[in-house]
Amino acid sequence: MAEKTATLLKYLDLPQNGRVVAEYFWIDSEYNVRSKGKTLSKKVTSLDDLPEWNFDGSSTGQAPGHNSDVYLRPVAYYPDPFRRGDNIIVLAECWNSDGTPNKFNHRHAAEKLMTAHAKEKTWFGIEQEYTLFDQFDDVYAWPKGGFPAPQGPYYCGVGTGKVSARDVIEAHYKACLYAGINISGINAEVMPSQWEYQVGPCEGISMGDELWASRYLLHRVAEEFNVKISFHPKPLKGDWNGAGCHTNVSTEAMRQPGGMKYIDAAIEKLSLRHKEHIALYGADNEQRLTGKHETASMSTFLSGVANRGASIRIPRSVAKEGYGYFEDRRPASNIDPYLVTGIMVETICGSISDVDMTKEYAKESEE
Ligand code: ADP
Ligand code: MN
Ligand code: MN
Ligand code: MN
């Protein structure tokens, strides 16, 4: 693998005769990313320079074979850390040929809510946890046929035997910075070969966009190391921490002195829609939200200051200052961030007539 990458480097600097490559990526029916490259005749300086494109949705579970075209509408683009130069990666929404959003396109609904409530200036910060596996589907660098020593030394660990794959993690960090992703930090997690990075604060729909772009970059970087990325919320049964996507939230009012009353009001509204939120907070999340391993049980709603066993945590510093943000600890690592940020805005800022986030997930299983 490493030699192959070295060979590739010889070709990366070749001039492109003024042409630019745009790697379009999108979200498929399993919340994986897919991508394909398109040659453009000139440098892209705005979204309008990017043509609509399409793919065969019958090959990705996104459309039936008899009507298989799914359209790709560019919504954001970022510098490409792999091809570099003027080359870019392009996040695209999926649309059906009849002009409706594809059933796995939850961005469209979320964006309507974000636009309707733009004046509230909602910020998000998502802590993406994930687990590394090797090409044989064993947890990366775990002893073959056995288990590492129990959890304790690994969280924010430094040194051999405590952390592994730091090369992958560093490469991903740099790739995100190069692409202009608002990556705010990175740390080794409680379970060995589990890591976290944070993206944010990002306002409105850009939270979902940047998180999806960061995931695309993570899968691409890991490819070069022959490593698989798992976003499963409980990749290992037993006494091993699960993986989440803690979602930190604030509106402009919450960020001003005296903002605590808006934080309290939001938490009150969230407590009344616990089930509706949980339904959008990731598949298999019941394996993770057990009440153990720094989680609250899925069947109860609990909020508290500095409590990592709560559904909603108010950071100690926020409680002390009386304003800031809160953390929703319920979302699983495999969420679609558009569903989570969408329903968050719907619940705390108010619903709008043509969107119902609680129906978005069910849409996926429609014929
Ligand atoms: P934890 O202590 O839970 O591990 P982290 O430091 O990993 O917290 O993540 C905190 C996240 O909160 C970061 O993504 C950060 O960008 C985000 N954040 C900070 N301030 C705000 C805010 N006012 N509104 C929303 N998100 C915020
Ligand atoms: Mn964190
Ligand atoms: Mn964490
Ligand atoms: Mn957290």
Side-chain angles (χ1 to χ4, degrees):
M1 217 50 195
E3 299 97 81
K4 275 211 256 174
T5 304
T7 308
L8 172 66
L9 286 175
K10 286 202 301 193
Y11 302 99
L12 273 180
D13 289 340
L14 285 177
Q16 295 181 184
N17 287 317
R19 307 219 275 177
V20 166
V21 184
E23 187 76 19
Y24 282 48
F25 67 100
W26 69 93
I27 303 154
D28 74 6
S29 56
E30 314 256 277
Y31 291 178
N32 290 317
V33 277
R34 308 239 184 178
S35 82
K36 59 178 192 163
K38 187 175 192 58
T39 307
L40 303 174
S41 58
K42 64 176 176 43
K43 183 180 157 105
V44 169
T45 57
S46 89
L47 270 181
D48 297 333
D49 295 339
L50 287 163
E52 187 174 289
W53 204 15
N54 58 60
F55 66 93
D56 168 17
S58 70
S59 299
T60 66
Q62 288 170 277
H66 59 83
N67 188 12
S68 64
D69 272 7
V70 175
Y71 292 88
L72 292 169
R73 292 195 188 160
V75 292
Y77 64 94
Y78 310 90
D80 182 340
F82 308 106
R83 295 190 177 111
R84 307 191 191 190
D86 290 335
N87 303 305
I88 52 176
I89 59 171
V90 177
L91 173 65
E93 267 189 27
C94 294
W95 285 75
N96 302 323
S97 55
D98 65 0
T100 57
N102 188 257
K103 55 188 177 176
F104 302 100
N105 173 359
H106 303 301
R107 185 185 186 279
H108 182 63
E111 192 182 28
K112 281 188 181 172
L113 278 159
M114 304 297 181
T115 304
H117 292 293
K119 64 176 187 318
E120 317 234 8
K121 297 193 166 54
T122 310
W123 291 2
F124 299 98
I126 291 186
E127 303 167 47
Q128 175 72 67
E129 294 178 338
Y130 61 97
T131 310
L132 302 167
F133 283 77
D134 64 23
Q135 68 216 85
F136 309 107
D137 289 320
D138 293 318
V139 188
Y140 187 80
W142 278 29
K144 288 287 164 213
F147 292 94
Q151 294 181 164
Y154 311 115
Y155 170 71
C156 298
V158 177
T160 301
K162 302 201 177 62
V163 293
S164 48
R166 203 185 281 280
D167 47 1
V168 184
I169 274 68
E170 281 297 310
H172 173 244
Y173 200 175
K174 283 291 179 81
C176 284
L177 291 169
Y178 179 90
I181 303 300
N182 189 13
I183 183 165
S184 43
I186 204 150
N187 61 269
E189 265 304 334
V190 174
M191 185 179 103
S193 284
Q194 201 165 64
W195 288 81
E196 168 181 317
Y197 62 91
Q198 304 96 33
V199 178
C202 293
E203 190 167 319
I205 202 69
S206 71
M207 180 72 254
D209 294 350
E210 294 200 21
L211 193 73
W212 275 113
S214 74
R215 287 174 174 178
Y216 169 77
L217 296 176
L218 182 57
H219 284 298
R220 278 292 312 271
V221 165
E223 230 179 66
E224 298 193 19
F225 293 90
N226 238 352
V227 166
K228 293 184 186 176
I229 303 299
S230 167
F231 290 116
H232 195 278
K234 193 75 181 181
L236 268 286
K237 304 261 182 282
D239 225 359
W240 304 102
N241 271 31
C245 261
H246 296 168
T247 301
N248 300 273
V249 187
S250 64
T251 58
E252 189 170 45
M254 296 176 194
R255 295 189 293 270
Q256 313 291 331
M260 191 55 92
K261 64 172 183 288
Y262 299 101
I263 294 176
D264 288 339
I267 294 174
E268 171 66 19
K269 288 178 186 166
L270 287 166
S271 73
L272 301 173
R273 294 233 292 174
H274 178 62
K275 277 213 180 81
E276 290 84 346
H277 277 250
I278 286 288
L280 301 189
Y281 279 11
D284 300 319
N285 203 15
E286 70 285 350
Q287 296 172 28
R288 163 179 167 263
L289 294 183
T290 57
K292 289 199 254 168
H293 303 110
E294 300 175 58
T295 69
S297 154
M298 188 146 148
S299 57
T300 52
F301 181 90
L302 185 72
S303 66
V305 174
N307 182 359
R308 287 175 193 269
S311 325
I312 306 282
R313 175 178 69 104
I314 298 172
R316 173 79 66 205
S317 59
V318 172
K320 204 166 143 233
E321 289 178 348
Y323 62 95
Y325 66 98
F326 66 88
E327 174 192 45
D328 189 342
R329 299 177 60 81
R330 297 170 295 174
S333 45
N334 58 359
I335 50 164
D336 182 342
Y338 298 127
L339 291 174
V340 173
T341 58
I343 194 170
M344 188 61 79
V345 166
E346 184 175 67
T347 300
I348 67 181
C349 302
S351 58
I352 58 173
S353 59
D354 56 343
V355 173
D356 182 350
M357 288 306 297
T358 66
K359 300 233 167 79
E360 279 293 311
Y361 191 55
K363 209 172 80 177
E364 290 185 4
S365 34
E366 282 167 15
E367 277 310 305

